[in-house]
Amino acid sequence: MYKKIKARRAVKHPYIRKDDNVVVISGEFKGDTGRVLSVNAEKGTAVIEGVNKIKKHTKPNKNVGKGGIVDKEGPIALSNISLLSENGKDKTRAKYITKEGKRVRVDAKTEKDI
């Protein structure tokens, strides 16, 4: 009866991956840096370590044990974050090139492997 609605911010091929170092470039957490914990391309969001902390109220159960308020990271739109270069100061993007017949992800500015 109901049709599945596509997310507004869906991204076909996000250039940010898990374990990348990123910086928030706009929004409430502008300037914060961290490591990417997960990326959701369907929703166009990423969860970054130590950024966008939210409080989640949990009920007691067998897995968690005692219930209460848990601090965890919330998602941030991919459009609001940028990849950091190896020196950890400059913003950059990733691109793919072929080296020796293999597709390699490199820094767009310096052409070094990521």
Side-chain angles (χ1 to χ4, degrees), residues 1 8 25 30-31 34 39 53 57 59 65 67 71 73-74 86 89-90 112 114:
M1 188 163 175
R8 273 193 323 188
I25 56 174
K30 183 176 180 176
V39 176
K53 288 282 201 171
H57 296 261
K59 287 186 175 181
D71 284 338
E73 289 88 1
E86 285 190 21
K89 295 178 182 177
D90 302 329
K112 292 183 181 178
I114 296 178

Side-chain angles (χ1 to χ4, degrees), residues 29-93:
F29 304 100
K30 183 176 180 176
D32 290 353
T33 60
R35 186 174 58 91
V36 177
L37 300 176
S38 66
V39 176
N40 187 340
E42 270 186 22
K43 293 183 179 178
T45 59
V47 177
I48 303 170
E49 188 175 34
V51 180
N52 194 16
K53 288 282 201 171
I54 58 173
K55 293 185 183 290
K56 183 167 176 68
H57 296 261
T58 59
K59 287 186 175 181
N61 62 34
K62 292 178 184 176
N63 298 336
V64 178
K66 190 177 180 182
I69 301 171
V70 178
D71 284 338
K72 59 183 262 182
E73 289 88 1
I76 294 180
L78 288 173
S79 61
N80 293 343
I81 59 179
S82 179
L83 194 61
L84 279 177
S85 60
E86 285 190 21
N87 64 11
K89 295 178 182 177
D90 302 329
K91 294 184 287 185
T92 187
R93 291 187 66 108

Side-chain angles (χ1 to χ4, degrees), residues 5-6 17 21 74 77 83 94 100 102:
I5 299 171
K6 283 187 176 180
R17 288 186 181 173
N21 288 322
L83 194 61
E100 301 166 6
K102 292 186 178 181

